[in-house]
Amino acid sequence: TSVHKMDGFFVDSSTQPFTFYAVEAKSSILPTPKTPAKGHRYGILNQMIESLEKYGAVDERFDFTTVRDILEASFSAGEAAVIRAALFPPGPENLVRLGMAVINESTIDTKDDDFILTEQCPVQFDFRAVTVTDLSALAEAAYNRILKLKG
């Protein structure tokens, strides 16, 4: 679900205990040949680390409250009860902070990999990169599909 500060909050109810994911996601079609900075480390990867650093205990509590308020829309009553209990302070034991970058395949740069693997961040997080052949076209197709569903 969408929350206050994180881009998404997910629960894997197939694990025991449940695994909770607080996701900070960034996407970019850059860099392009016209972009002065050549690499995602100057843009979305740096922004991701800054966002994770600024995400504090108050933000987390607000996000947990937001999720607790809308559980019944996505989970069975039993799952919702377990999740609700886990989201009271101090929060779930099994919380994974996940940084996710979605980029064009043509913009892959090993220097970006080195950056995300070595840049200092006081918040421990996992990282995943999703590469697509044409992010702009994929986004357009996704938005068009949503518009069709809306009617």
Side-chain angles (χ1 to χ4, degrees):
T1 186
S2 181
V3 286
H4 173 62
K5 287 275 186 148
M6 282 288 148
D7 292 312
F9 195 85
F10 302 89
V11 179
D12 181 353
S13 59
S14 70
T15 63
Q16 289 299 321
F18 290 178
T19 303
F20 296 79
Y21 296 92
V23 179
E24 180 65 21
K26 302 291 183 195
S27 64
S28 177
I29 60 170
L30 300 175
T32 67
K34 295 180 182 178
T35 307
K38 301 296 181 204
H40 294 292
R41 61 195 170 280
Y42 302 106
I44 64 168
L45 296 180
N46 193 43
Q47 292 165 9
M48 179 185 305
I49 289 174
E50 288 174 0
S51 293
L52 289 164
E53 286 176 348
K54 292 177 184 175
Y55 186 74
V58 171
D59 300 318
E60 187 173 74
R61 281 194 298 273
F62 191 91
D63 283 349
F64 289 169
T65 300
T66 301
V67 173
R68 283 194 315 258
D69 289 346
I70 58 172
L71 286 170
E72 283 73 18
S74 302
F75 296 94
S76 70
E79 290 172 326
V82 172
I83 295 166
R84 183 175 288 106
L87 293 180
F88 281 98
E93 290 178 30
N94 213 11
L95 176 64
V96 177
R97 287 174 181 82
L98 178 62
M100 180 164 263
V102 182
I103 62 171
N104 277 325
E105 184 178 36
S106 62
T107 65
I108 293 174
D109 183 338
T110 56
K111 291 177 185 157
D112 292 333
D113 298 339
D114 294 340
F115 172 83
I116 201 67
L117 292 171
T118 61
E119 186 66 14
Q120 293 289 324
C121 183
V123 177
Q124 182 177 345
F125 68 97
D126 291 351
F127 175 75
R128 299 290 185 272
V130 177
T131 58
V132 296
T133 53
D134 187 346
L135 183 56
S136 180
L138 178 64
E140 183 179 356
Y143 284 117
N144 286 336
R145 186 173 182 155
I146 290 168
L147 290 174
K148 285 181 184 177
L149 291 173
K150 284 184 168 183

